[in-house]
Amino acid sequence: MKILLHTCCGPCTVGTLKEIDREKHQVTAYWYNPNIHPYLEYQSRLDSLKTLTNTLGMDAIIDDEYGLKKFIGMLGTDLDNRCLKCYNDRLVQTARKAKELGFDAFSTTLLVSPYQQHDAIKLMATKIGEKLGIPFFYIDPRPHFREGNKEAREQGLYMQKYCGCVFSEEERYLGQKK
Ligand code: SF4
């Protein structure tokens, strides 16, 4: 099966790939993350993903668009529910891209993180896949999260300190709750 794998960063990709049999499936990484700010952080995560896919000899499709204004505009004033909007934007874009380019299915590295809303992502992606006519390839790579991070650190990949948006950066350093 040809799978387009939305990738949020290098370390999460390392963990996620442990749950996908790359002998059986042809996996292409897909970068689309307008939620990552500020710009130097965005660039560090993207560079890390490029390093990883080069090392693995893995195909990658990069939509290199720093999306601070777009992201903030999409959230409006409803900051409490921002994560669901953030997931939706990235999953819809990935599903559309997968369909447009003739992939058999799409998936996401967001599924590896115990800090994300796994069940909400699963349900949302399944519905998006049904609506857009491209199957969602569900996996649960969470047991590989720590191991993936450890390996990524050993490989010298950039390790981020917060989820991605400016609001999560504030929470990380000021200790405020989402
Ligand atoms: S905390 Fe993470 S998932 Fe939630 S809106 Fe920010 S970048 Fe997106």
Side-chain angles (χ1 to χ4, degrees):
M1 185 184 276
K2 280 174 59 184
I3 300 167
L4 187 64
L5 177 68
H6 166 259
T7 53
C8 60
C9 63
C12 285
T13 305
V14 175
T16 301
L17 288 175
K18 292 184 178 300
E19 193 62 25
I20 304 177
D21 184 350
R22 289 181 65 213
E23 298 286 319
K24 199 166 150 196
H25 302 295
Q26 190 184 326
V27 182
T28 297
Y30 178 48
W31 174 269
Y32 170 74
N33 295 295
N35 59 306
I36 299 173
H37 327 128
Y39 180 70
L40 292 181
E41 177 74 21
Y42 172 88
Q43 201 58 54
S44 295
R45 296 193 200 189
L46 175 53
D47 287 348
S48 155
L49 179 74
K50 286 178 178 171
T51 300
L52 177 67
T53 52
N54 283 339
T55 302
L56 295 175
M58 185 175 167
D59 289 339
I61 298 170
I62 309 291
D63 271 352
D64 186 5
E65 178 195 347
Y66 178 62
L68 177 60
K69 289 177 186 163
K70 174 183 173 181
F71 181 80
I72 299 293
M74 180 181 74
L75 295 189
T77 53
D78 188 14
L79 296 180
D80 288 344
N81 292 314
R82 70 179 189 271
C83 296
L84 296 180
K85 290 182 180 176
C86 177
Y87 299 150
N88 184 70
D89 178 50
R90 291 186 283 168
L91 291 169
V92 166
Q93 175 65 21
T94 305
R96 282 191 182 135
K97 183 68 76 171
K99 184 155 190 192
E100 175 193 327
L101 298 179
F103 284 84
D104 299 310
F106 72 101
S107 195
T108 175
T109 58
L110 293 170
L111 293 166
V112 78
S113 172
Y115 302 110
Q116 301 294 354
Q117 299 174 45
H118 186 97
D119 292 341
I121 293 166
K122 179 184 177 185
L123 182 64
M124 187 182 281
T126 301
K127 285 186 177 170
I128 289 168
E130 286 168 2
K131 189 173 172 195
L132 297 181
I134 174 93
F136 170 54
F137 184 80
Y138 173 69
I139 46 169
D140 186 359
R142 284 176 292 182
H144 308 297
F145 180 72
R146 306 268 168 225
E147 188 189 355
N149 273 8
K150 181 171 174 283
E151 285 184 19
R153 198 172 288 109
E154 287 166 358
Q155 288 177 39
L157 296 178
Y158 176 72
M159 308 297 292
Q160 64 267 24
K161 304 282 188 301
Y162 57 94
C163 187
C165 63
V166 288
F167 307 106
S168 61
E169 191 254 12
E170 179 186 51
E171 287 161 4
R172 168 66 177 77
Y173 293 108
L174 287 181
Q176 294 173 2
K177 212 171 176 307
K178 266 186 196 177

